[in-house]
């Protein structure tokens, strides 16, 4: 794709993805009116995990382009959990959930995912 401000190569992966339908709440097994893109994200995480590029980090963050994210604030919360297989729940509506705008996983948690 080019070079960053330090002269490092910028590149990406391209995966063939299945088409992604919209969910319809009320249908069996459907809990959202948004895109049913779980398979897409599993493929993306598997690509990243299999690349080997994440293992020199303590945590991996997936942030949507429209997400406001402050790494320094996360660092304060993540530091005590370094080395523990964990992820951050980020929604406390009815029950604890993981919403997709910002997802934070420790590398030990991703190793656990990789092994299963």
């Amino acid at each position: 794709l080019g070079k960053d401000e330090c002269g490092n190569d910028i590149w990406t992966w391209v995966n063939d993805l299945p088409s992604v339908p919209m969910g319809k709440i009320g249908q069996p097994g459907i809990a959202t009116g948004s895109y049913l893109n779980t398979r897409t994200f599993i493929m993306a995480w598997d690509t990243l995990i299999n690349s080997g590029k994440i293992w020199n980090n303590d945590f991996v963050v997936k942030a949507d382009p429209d997400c406001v994210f402050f790494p320094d604030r996360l660092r304060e919360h993540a530091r005590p959990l370094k080395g523990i297989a964990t992820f951050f729940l980020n929604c406390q509506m009815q029950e604890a959930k993981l919403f997709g705008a910002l997802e934070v996983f420790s590398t030990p948690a991703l190793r656990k995912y990789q092994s299963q």
Side-chain angles (χ1 to χ4, degrees):
L1 295 175
K3 303 267 185 197
D4 67 11
E5 64 276 0
C6 296
N8 299 310
D9 289 330
I10 299 173
W11 53 278
T12 189
W13 292 277
V14 176
N15 291 338
D16 291 325
L17 300 173
S19 64
V20 180
M22 292 292 288
K24 292 182 183 163
I25 294 177
Q27 289 185 342
I30 304 297
T32 183
S34 187
Y35 288 101
L36 303 176
N37 56 4
T38 301
R39 184 78 208 131
T40 300
F41 282 102
I42 289 172
M43 291 173 69
W45 278 109
D46 288 350
T47 298
L48 187 60
I49 287 167
N50 292 327
S51 77
K53 299 233 176 246
I54 61 175
W55 305 122
N56 290 332
N57 301 288
D58 297 318
F59 288 84
V60 176
V61 175
K62 191 282 288 178
D64 284 359
D66 60 349
C67 174
V68 177
F69 171 53
F70 299 100
D72 289 341
R73 291 184 66 186
L74 174 63
R75 196 172 287 118
E76 293 174 25
H77 295 282
R79 186 173 288 116
L81 302 171
K82 181 179 175 182
I84 298 170
T86 191
F87 63 95
F88 286 65
L89 295 172
N90 58 17
C91 177
Q92 297 297 325
M93 291 174 59
Q94 303 165 347
E95 61 188 57
K97 296 178 182 175
L98 178 65
F99 279 8
L102 182 72
E103 298 176 6
V104 180
F105 299 90
S106 68
T107 47
L110 291 172
R111 284 270 186 218
K112 194 171 200 174
Y113 168 81
Q114 180 188 36
S115 72
Q116 297 181 8

Short mmCIF file of all heavy atoms in Angstrom, two decimals, residues 47-105:
data_model
loop_
_atom_site.label_atom_id
_atom_site.label_comp_id
_atom_site.label_asym_id
_atom_site.label_seq_id
_atom_site.Cartn_x
_atom_site.Cartn_y
_atom_site.Cartn_z
N THR A 47 -6.83 -15.03 10.08
CA THR A 47 -5.77 -14.50 9.21
C THR A 47 -4.71 -13.80 10.05
O THR A 47 -3.51 -14.03 9.87
CB THR A 47 -6.35 -13.53 8.17
OG1 THR A 47 -7.28 -14.25 7.35
CG2 THR A 47 -5.27 -12.92 7.30
N LEU A 48 -5.13 -12.96 10.96
CA LEU A 48 -4.20 -12.22 11.82
C LEU A 48 -3.41 -13.17 12.71
O LEU A 48 -2.18 -13.07 12.82
CB LEU A 48 -4.96 -11.20 12.66
CG LEU A 48 -4.14 -10.23 13.47
CD1 LEU A 48 -3.24 -9.40 12.58
CD2 LEU A 48 -5.05 -9.34 14.29
N ILE A 49 -4.08 -14.11 13.34
CA ILE A 49 -3.42 -15.07 14.22
C ILE A 49 -2.40 -15.90 13.45
O ILE A 49 -1.25 -16.08 13.89
CB ILE A 49 -4.47 -15.96 14.91
CG1 ILE A 49 -5.20 -15.16 15.99
CG2 ILE A 49 -3.84 -17.22 15.49
CD1 ILE A 49 -6.45 -15.81 16.53
N ASN A 50 -2.78 -16.39 12.28
CA ASN A 50 -1.87 -17.23 11.49
C ASN A 50 -0.72 -16.46 10.86
O ASN A 50 0.27 -17.05 10.45
CB ASN A 50 -2.66 -17.99 10.43
CG ASN A 50 -3.59 -19.02 11.04
OD1 ASN A 50 -3.29 -19.61 12.08
ND2 ASN A 50 -4.73 -19.22 10.42
N SER A 51 -0.82 -15.14 10.81
CA SER A 51 0.26 -14.32 10.27
C SER A 51 1.46 -14.29 11.20
O SER A 51 2.58 -14.01 10.78
CB SER A 51 -0.22 -12.89 10.03
OG SER A 51 -0.28 -12.17 11.26
N GLY A 52 1.22 -14.51 12.50
CA GLY A 52 2.29 -14.43 13.48
C GLY A 52 2.63 -13.01 13.90
O GLY A 52 3.50 -12.80 14.74
N LYS A 53 1.96 -12.02 13.37
CA LYS A 53 2.31 -10.62 13.63
C LYS A 53 1.88 -10.12 15.01
O LYS A 53 2.30 -9.06 15.43
CB LYS A 53 1.72 -9.73 12.55
CG LYS A 53 2.24 -10.05 11.18
CD LYS A 53 2.76 -8.82 10.53
CE LYS A 53 3.39 -9.16 9.20
NZ LYS A 53 4.80 -8.93 9.18
N ILE A 54 1.02 -10.84 15.70
CA ILE A 54 0.47 -10.32 16.96
C ILE A 54 1.21 -10.80 18.20
O ILE A 54 1.04 -10.23 19.27
CB ILE A 54 -1.02 -10.67 17.10
CG1 ILE A 54 -1.24 -12.18 17.12
CG2 ILE A 54 -1.82 -10.00 16.01
CD1 ILE A 54 -2.68 -12.57 17.38
N TRP A 55 2.03 -11.83 18.08
CA TRP A 55 2.54 -12.51 19.27
C TRP A 55 3.59 -11.74 20.05
O TRP A 55 3.90 -12.10 21.18
CB TRP A 55 3.04 -13.90 18.90
CG TRP A 55 1.97 -14.69 18.21
CD1 TRP A 55 2.04 -15.24 16.95
CD2 TRP A 55 0.66 -14.99 18.70
NE1 TRP A 55 0.85 -15.85 16.64
CE2 TRP A 55 -0.01 -15.72 17.69
CE3 TRP A 55 -0.03 -14.70 19.87
CZ2 TRP A 55 -1.32 -16.18 17.85
CZ3 TRP A 55 -1.33 -15.14 20.02
CH2 TRP A 55 -1.96 -15.87 19.02
N ASN A 56 4.13 -10.66 19.52
CA ASN A 56 5.10 -9.84 20.28
C ASN A 56 4.41 -8.75 21.08
O ASN A 56 5.08 -7.87 21.63
CB ASN A 56 6.13 -9.22 19.33
CG ASN A 56 7.07 -10.26 18.77
OD1 ASN A 56 7.32 -11.29 19.40
ND2 ASN A 56 7.56 -10.02 17.58
N ASN A 57 3.09 -8.78 21.14
CA ASN A 57 2.31 -7.78 21.88
C ASN A 57 1.59 -8.44 23.04
O ASN A 57 1.34 -9.64 23.02
CB ASN A 57 1.29 -7.13 20.94
CG ASN A 57 1.96 -6.46 19.77
OD1 ASN A 57 2.60 -5.44 19.93
ND2 ASN A 57 1.85 -7.05 18.60
N ASP A 58 1.27 -7.64 24.05
CA ASP A 58 0.54 -8.16 25.21
C ASP A 58 -0.97 -8.21 24.95
O ASP A 58 -1.66 -9.09 25.45
CB ASP A 58 0.80 -7.30 26.45
CG ASP A 58 2.26 -7.32 26.85
OD1 ASP A 58 2.87 -8.41 26.81
OD2 ASP A 58 2.80 -6.25 27.19
N PHE A 59 -1.47 -7.26 24.17
CA PHE A 59 -2.89 -7.17 23.85
C PHE A 59 -3.06 -6.82 22.38
O PHE A 59 -2.18 -6.20 21.78
CB PHE A 59 -3.59 -6.11 24.71
CG PHE A 59 -3.75 -6.51 26.14
CD1 PHE A 59 -2.72 -6.32 27.04
CD2 PHE A 59 -4.92 -7.10 26.59
CE1 PHE A 59 -2.85 -6.72 28.37
CE2 PHE A 59 -5.06 -7.49 27.91
CZ PHE A 59 -4.02 -7.30 28.80
N VAL A 60 -4.20 -7.21 21.82
CA VAL A 60 -4.56 -6.85 20.45
C VAL A 60 -5.91 -6.15 20.51
O VAL A 60 -6.83 -6.61 21.19
CB VAL A 60 -4.64 -8.10 19.56
CG1 VAL A 60 -5.10 -7.74 18.16
CG2 VAL A 60 -3.28 -8.81 19.51
N VAL A 61 -6.01 -5.04 19.80
CA VAL A 61 -7.23 -4.25 19.78
C VAL A 61 -7.78 -4.22 18.36
O VAL A 61 -7.06 -3.95 17.41
CB VAL A 61 -6.96 -2.80 20.25
CG1 VAL A 61 -8.21 -1.95 20.11
CG2 VAL A 61 -6.43 -2.79 21.67
N LYS A 62 -9.08 -4.50 18.23
CA LYS A 62 -9.79 -4.33 16.97
C LYS A 62 -10.71 -3.14 17.18
O LYS A 62 -11.56 -3.13 18.06
CB LYS A 62 -10.61 -5.58 16.63
CG LYS A 62 -11.20 -5.61 15.20
CD LYS A 62 -12.42 -4.80 14.97
CE LYS A 62 -13.69 -5.30 15.59
NZ LYS A 62 -14.82 -4.36 15.32
N ALA A 63 -10.48 -2.08 16.39
CA ALA A 63 -11.30 -0.87 16.52
C ALA A 63 -11.94 -0.55 15.18
O ALA A 63 -11.26 -0.54 14.15
CB ALA A 63 -10.44 0.30 16.99
N ASP A 64 -13.24 -0.28 15.19
CA ASP A 64 -13.93 0.16 13.98
C ASP A 64 -13.40 1.53 13.57
O ASP A 64 -12.93 2.31 14.43
CB ASP A 64 -15.43 0.26 14.23
CG ASP A 64 -16.12 -1.09 14.26
OD1 ASP A 64 -15.44 -2.12 14.06
OD2 ASP A 64 -17.35 -1.11 14.49
N PRO A 65 -13.48 1.86 12.29
CA PRO A 65 -12.97 3.16 11.83
C PRO A 65 -13.63 4.36 12.50
O PRO A 65 -13.01 5.40 12.64
CB PRO A 65 -13.28 3.17 10.33
CG PRO A 65 -13.48 1.75 9.96
CD PRO A 65 -13.98 1.04 11.19
N ASP A 66 -14.87 4.20 12.96
CA ASP A 66 -15.56 5.32 13.60
C ASP A 66 -15.50 5.27 15.12
O ASP A 66 -16.20 5.99 15.82
CB ASP A 66 -17.01 5.40 13.14
CG ASP A 66 -17.80 4.13 13.47
OD1 ASP A 66 -17.19 3.12 13.85
OD2 ASP A 66 -19.03 4.15 13.32
N CYS A 67 -14.63 4.42 15.66
CA CYS A 67 -14.48 4.27 17.11
C CYS A 67 -13.48 5.29 17.64
O CYS A 67 -12.41 5.47 17.08
CB CYS A 67 -13.99 2.85 17.41
SG CYS A 67 -13.60 2.58 19.14
N VAL A 68 -13.83 5.95 18.74
CA VAL A 68 -12.89 6.83 19.42
C VAL A 68 -12.14 5.97 20.43
O VAL A 68 -12.74 5.38 21.32
CB VAL A 68 -13.61 8.00 20.13
CG1 VAL A 68 -12.63 8.87 20.89
CG2 VAL A 68 -14.40 8.82 19.12
N PHE A 69 -10.82 5.90 20.28
CA PHE A 69 -10.01 4.98 21.07
C PHE A 69 -8.78 5.71 21.59
O PHE A 69 -8.07 6.37 20.83
CB PHE A 69 -9.61 3.78 20.19
CG PHE A 69 -8.60 2.86 20.81
CD1 PHE A 69 -8.79 2.32 22.06
CD2 PHE A 69 -7.44 2.53 20.12
CE1 PHE A 69 -7.87 1.46 22.63
CE2 PHE A 69 -6.51 1.66 20.68
CZ PHE A 69 -6.73 1.15 21.94
N PHE A 70 -8.53 5.60 22.90
CA PHE A 70 -7.37 6.22 23.54
C PHE A 70 -6.46 5.12 24.09
O PHE A 70 -6.70 4.61 25.19
CB PHE A 70 -7.82 7.15 24.68
CG PHE A 70 -8.71 8.27 24.22
CD1 PHE A 70 -10.09 8.19 24.37
CD2 PHE A 70 -8.16 9.40 23.63
CE1 PHE A 70 -10.90 9.22 23.95
CE2 PHE A 70 -8.98 10.44 23.19
CZ PHE A 70 -10.36 10.35 23.36
N PRO A 71 -5.42 4.75 23.35
CA PRO A 71 -4.54 3.65 23.79
C PRO A 71 -3.97 3.85 25.19
O PRO A 71 -3.85 2.89 25.95
CB PRO A 71 -3.44 3.63 22.73
CG PRO A 71 -4.05 4.25 21.53
CD PRO A 71 -5.03 5.27 22.04
N ASP A 72 -3.61 5.08 25.55
CA ASP A 72 -3.03 5.31 26.88
C ASP A 72 -4.02 4.97 28.00
O ASP A 72 -3.62 4.47 29.05
CB ASP A 72 -2.56 6.76 27.02
CG ASP A 72 -1.33 7.05 26.18
OD1 ASP A 72 -0.64 6.09 25.80
OD2 ASP A 72 -1.06 8.23 25.92
N ARG A 73 -5.29 5.25 27.79
CA ARG A 73 -6.29 4.91 28.81
C ARG A 73 -6.46 3.41 28.92
O ARG A 73 -6.60 2.86 30.02
CB ARG A 73 -7.61 5.60 28.51
CG ARG A 73 -7.51 7.11 28.69
CD ARG A 73 -8.81 7.80 28.48
NE ARG A 73 -9.76 7.43 29.51
CZ ARG A 73 -11.03 7.79 29.52
NH1 ARG A 73 -11.50 8.54 28.54
NH2 ARG A 73 -11.83 7.41 30.48
N LEU A 74 -6.46 2.72 27.78
CA LEU A 74 -6.57 1.26 27.81
C LEU A 74 -5.35 0.66 28.51
O LEU A 74 -5.49 -0.27 29.31
CB LEU A 74 -6.69 0.69 26.39
CG LEU A 74 -6.65 -0.83 26.32
CD1 LEU A 74 -7.82 -1.46 27.07
CD2 LEU A 74 -6.61 -1.29 24.88
N ARG A 75 -4.18 1.20 28.23
CA ARG A 75 -2.94 0.66 28.80
C ARG A 75 -3.03 0.60 30.33
O ARG A 75 -2.59 -0.37 30.95
CB ARG A 75 -1.77 1.52 28.34
CG ARG A 75 -0.42 0.88 28.55
CD ARG A 75 0.71 1.69 27.90
NE ARG A 75 0.65 1.54 26.46
CZ ARG A 75 0.44 2.55 25.61
NH1 ARG A 75 0.27 3.78 26.03
NH2 ARG A 75 0.41 2.32 24.31
N GLU A 76 -3.61 1.63 30.95
CA GLU A 76 -3.74 1.65 32.42
C GLU A 76 -4.60 0.49 32.91
O GLU A 76 -4.31 -0.11 33.94
CB GLU A 76 -4.36 2.97 32.87
CG GLU A 76 -3.50 4.18 32.63
CD GLU A 76 -4.25 5.46 32.96
OE1 GLU A 76 -5.19 5.43 33.77
OE2 GLU A 76 -3.87 6.51 32.39
N HIS A 77 -5.67 0.18 32.19
CA HIS A 77 -6.58 -0.89 32.60
C HIS A 77 -6.01 -2.27 32.27
O HIS A 77 -6.28 -3.24 32.97
CB HIS A 77 -7.94 -0.73 31.92
CG HIS A 77 -8.67 0.50 32.35
ND1 HIS A 77 -9.34 0.60 33.55
CD2 HIS A 77 -8.82 1.70 31.75
CE1 HIS A 77 -9.86 1.80 33.67
NE2 HIS A 77 -9.57 2.49 32.58
N ALA A 78 -5.25 -2.36 31.19
CA ALA A 78 -4.74 -3.65 30.73
C ALA A 78 -3.50 -4.10 31.48
O ALA A 78 -3.27 -5.30 31.65
CB ALA A 78 -4.44 -3.58 29.24
N ARG A 79 -2.69 -3.16 31.95
CA ARG A 79 -1.40 -3.49 32.57
C ARG A 79 -1.50 -4.58 33.65
O ARG A 79 -0.73 -5.54 33.64
CB ARG A 79 -0.74 -2.23 33.13
CG ARG A 79 0.67 -2.48 33.64
CD ARG A 79 1.37 -1.18 34.05
NE ARG A 79 1.72 -0.43 32.86
CZ ARG A 79 1.23 0.78 32.56
NH1 ARG A 79 0.39 1.39 33.37
NH2 ARG A 79 1.59 1.40 31.46
N PRO A 80 -2.46 -4.52 34.58
CA PRO A 80 -2.52 -5.55 35.63
C PRO A 80 -2.92 -6.94 35.09
O PRO A 80 -2.77 -7.94 35.78
CB PRO A 80 -3.60 -5.05 36.59
CG PRO A 80 -3.86 -3.64 36.25
CD PRO A 80 -3.42 -3.44 34.84
N LEU A 81 -3.42 -7.00 33.86
CA LEU A 81 -3.89 -8.26 33.29
C LEU A 81 -2.89 -8.87 32.31
O LEU A 81 -3.18 -9.89 31.67
CB LEU A 81 -5.23 -8.04 32.59
CG LEU A 81 -6.33 -7.49 33.51
CD1 LEU A 81 -7.54 -7.09 32.71
CD2 LEU A 81 -6.67 -8.49 34.59
N LYS A 82 -1.71 -8.27 32.20
CA LYS A 82 -0.68 -8.77 31.29
C LYS A 82 -0.36 -10.23 31.60
O LYS A 82 -0.19 -10.61 32.75
CB LYS A 82 0.58 -7.92 31.42
CG LYS A 82 1.69 -8.32 30.50
CD LYS A 82 2.89 -7.42 30.68
CE LYS A 82 4.05 -7.91 29.85
NZ LYS A 82 5.23 -7.08 30.04
N GLY A 83 -0.36 -11.06 30.56
CA GLY A 83 -0.03 -12.47 30.72
C GLY A 83 -1.21 -13.37 31.06
O GLY A 83 -1.07 -14.58 31.14
N ILE A 84 -2.37 -12.78 31.28
CA ILE A 84 -3.58 -13.54 31.62
C ILE A 84 -4.45 -13.68 30.38
O ILE A 84 -4.62 -12.73 29.63
CB ILE A 84 -4.36 -12.83 32.75
CG1 ILE A 84 -3.52 -12.74 34.01
CG2 ILE A 84 -5.68 -13.54 33.03
CD1 ILE A 84 -4.11 -11.85 35.09
N ALA A 85 -5.01 -14.85 30.17
CA ALA A 85 -5.93 -15.04 29.05
C ALA A 85 -7.24 -14.33 29.39
O ALA A 85 -8.03 -14.81 30.20
CB ALA A 85 -6.17 -16.53 28.80
N THR A 86 -7.45 -13.16 28.78
CA THR A 86 -8.61 -12.36 29.11
C THR A 86 -9.05 -11.51 27.92
O THR A 86 -8.30 -11.34 26.96
CB THR A 86 -8.34 -11.45 30.33
OG1 THR A 86 -9.55 -10.88 30.78
CG2 THR A 86 -7.34 -10.36 30.01
N PHE A 87 -10.25 -10.99 28.01
CA PHE A 87 -10.75 -10.01 27.06
C PHE A 87 -11.62 -9.05 27.83
O PHE A 87 -12.02 -9.31 28.96
CB PHE A 87 -11.51 -10.66 25.89
CG PHE A 87 -12.75 -11.40 26.30
CD1 PHE A 87 -13.99 -10.77 26.26
CD2 PHE A 87 -12.69 -12.72 26.72
CE1 PHE A 87 -15.14 -11.45 26.63
CE2 PHE A 87 -13.83 -13.40 27.10
CZ PHE A 87 -15.05 -12.77 27.05
N PHE A 88 -11.92 -7.90 27.24
CA PHE A 88 -12.68 -6.87 27.92
C PHE A 88 -14.12 -6.87 27.43
O PHE A 88 -14.37 -6.69 26.24
CB PHE A 88 -12.06 -5.49 27.65
CG PHE A 88 -10.78 -5.24 28.39
CD1 PHE A 88 -9.65 -5.98 28.13
CD2 PHE A 88 -10.72 -4.25 29.36
CE1 PHE A 88 -8.47 -5.76 28.81
CE2 PHE A 88 -9.55 -4.01 30.05
CZ PHE A 88 -8.42 -4.77 29.77
N LEU A 89 -15.06 -7.06 28.34
CA LEU A 89 -16.47 -6.86 28.02
C LEU A 89 -16.69 -5.36 27.94
O LEU A 89 -16.15 -4.60 28.74
CB LEU A 89 -17.36 -7.48 29.08
CG LEU A 89 -17.27 -9.01 29.18
CD1 LEU A 89 -18.03 -9.51 30.39
CD2 LEU A 89 -17.79 -9.65 27.91
N ASN A 90 -17.47 -4.90 26.97
CA ASN A 90 -17.59 -3.46 26.79
C ASN A 90 -19.03 -2.96 26.73
O ASN A 90 -19.28 -1.85 26.27
CB ASN A 90 -16.82 -3.01 25.54
CG ASN A 90 -17.28 -3.71 24.28
OD1 ASN A 90 -18.35 -4.29 24.23
ND2 ASN A 90 -16.46 -3.65 23.25
N CYS A 91 -19.95 -3.78 27.18
CA CYS A 91 -21.35 -3.35 27.22
C CYS A 91 -22.02 -4.00 28.43
O CYS A 91 -21.93 -5.21 28.62
CB CYS A 91 -22.09 -3.76 25.94
SG CYS A 91 -23.84 -3.31 26.00
N GLN A 92 -22.67 -3.21 29.24
CA GLN A 92 -23.34 -3.74 30.43
C GLN A 92 -24.86 -3.59 30.34
O GLN A 92 -25.53 -3.55 31.35
CB GLN A 92 -22.82 -3.02 31.68
CG GLN A 92 -21.35 -3.25 31.95
CD GLN A 92 -21.03 -4.70 32.23
OE1 GLN A 92 -21.80 -5.43 32.83
NE2 GLN A 92 -19.86 -5.14 31.79
N MET A 93 -25.41 -3.50 29.11
CA MET A 93 -26.87 -3.46 28.97
C MET A 93 -27.40 -4.76 29.58
O MET A 93 -26.68 -5.48 30.03
CB MET A 93 -27.25 -3.31 27.50
CG MET A 93 -26.87 -1.95 26.96
SD MET A 93 -27.12 -1.75 25.21
CE MET A 93 -28.84 -2.04 25.00
N GLN A 94 -28.50 -5.17 29.66
CA GLN A 94 -29.10 -6.35 30.25
C GLN A 94 -28.11 -7.36 30.84
O GLN A 94 -28.27 -7.83 31.93
CB GLN A 94 -30.00 -7.02 29.24
CG GLN A 94 -31.05 -6.07 28.73
CD GLN A 94 -31.71 -6.58 27.48
OE1 GLN A 94 -31.26 -7.50 26.84
NE2 GLN A 94 -32.81 -5.95 27.11
N GLU A 95 -27.11 -7.71 30.11
CA GLU A 95 -26.07 -8.64 30.60
C GLU A 95 -24.75 -8.24 29.95
O GLU A 95 -24.73 -7.53 28.96
CB GLU A 95 -26.43 -10.09 30.24
CG GLU A 95 -26.55 -10.32 28.75
CD GLU A 95 -27.08 -11.70 28.41
OE1 GLU A 95 -28.18 -12.05 28.86
OE2 GLU A 95 -26.38 -12.40 27.68
N ALA A 96 -23.65 -8.68 30.52
CA ALA A 96 -22.34 -8.32 29.98
C ALA A 96 -22.18 -8.89 28.57
O ALA A 96 -22.49 -10.04 28.32
CB ALA A 96 -21.24 -8.86 30.89
N LYS A 97 -21.73 -8.03 27.67
CA LYS A 97 -21.56 -8.42 26.27
C LYS A 97 -20.29 -7.82 25.70
O LYS A 97 -19.69 -6.93 26.29
CB LYS A 97 -22.75 -7.92 25.43
CG LYS A 97 -24.07 -8.52 25.80
CD LYS A 97 -25.17 -7.95 24.96
CE LYS A 97 -26.50 -8.54 25.41
NZ LYS A 97 -27.63 -7.95 24.74
N LEU A 98 -19.95 -8.29 24.52
CA LEU A 98 -18.81 -7.75 23.78
C LEU A 98 -19.35 -7.17 22.48
O LEU A 98 -19.78 -7.91 21.60
CB LEU A 98 -17.79 -8.85 23.48
CG LEU A 98 -16.57 -8.45 22.68
CD1 LEU A 98 -15.71 -7.46 23.46
CD2 LEU A 98 -15.74 -9.69 22.36
N PHE A 99 -19.41 -5.84 22.39
CA PHE A 99 -19.87 -5.19 21.17
C PHE A 99 -18.66 -4.94 20.27
O PHE A 99 -17.54 -4.80 20.74
CB PHE A 99 -20.57 -3.88 21.49
CG PHE A 99 -22.01 -4.05 21.90
CD1 PHE A 99 -22.57 -5.28 22.14
CD2 PHE A 99 -22.80 -2.95 22.07
CE1 PHE A 99 -23.89 -5.42 22.52
CE2 PHE A 99 -24.14 -3.06 22.45
CZ PHE A 99 -24.67 -4.31 22.67
N GLY A 100 -18.87 -4.85 18.98
CA GLY A 100 -17.80 -4.87 18.01
C GLY A 100 -17.04 -3.60 17.75
O GLY A 100 -16.01 -3.64 17.10
N ALA A 101 -17.49 -2.42 18.20
CA ALA A 101 -16.79 -1.18 17.87
C ALA A 101 -15.36 -1.18 18.40
O ALA A 101 -14.44 -0.68 17.76
CB ALA A 101 -17.54 0.03 18.39
N LEU A 102 -15.16 -1.76 19.56
CA LEU A 102 -13.83 -1.87 20.16
C LEU A 102 -13.74 -3.22 20.86
O LEU A 102 -14.54 -3.51 21.75
CB LEU A 102 -13.58 -0.74 21.17
CG LEU A 102 -12.20 -0.75 21.82
CD1 LEU A 102 -11.15 -0.32 20.82
CD2 LEU A 102 -12.18 0.16 23.03
N GLU A 103 -12.80 -4.03 20.44
CA GLU A 103 -12.60 -5.35 21.04
C GLU A 103 -11.15 -5.45 21.49
O GLU A 103 -10.24 -5.10 20.74
CB GLU A 103 -12.92 -6.46 20.05
CG GLU A 103 -14.36 -6.44 19.59
CD GLU A 103 -14.67 -7.49 18.53
OE1 GLU A 103 -13.79 -8.32 18.21
OE2 GLU A 103 -15.80 -7.48 18.01
N VAL A 104 -10.94 -5.90 22.73
CA VAL A 104 -9.60 -5.99 23.30
C VAL A 104 -9.39 -7.41 23.82
O VAL A 104 -10.16 -7.88 24.66
CB VAL A 104 -9.42 -4.98 24.46
CG1 VAL A 104 -8.02 -5.07 25.05
CG2 VAL A 104 -9.73 -3.56 24.00
N PHE A 105 -8.34 -8.06 23.33
CA PHE A 105 -8.01 -9.42 23.73
C PHE A 105 -6.54 -9.48 24.11
O PHE A 105 -5.69 -8.89 23.45
CB PHE A 105 -8.21 -10.41 22.56
CG PHE A 105 -9.63 -10.47 22.07
CD1 PHE A 105 -10.07 -9.65 21.07
CD2 PHE A 105 -10.52 -11.38 22.63
CE1 PHE A 105 -11.37 -9.71 20.60
CE2 PHE A 105 -11.82 -11.45 22.17
CZ PHE A 105 -12.25 -10.61 21.16
#
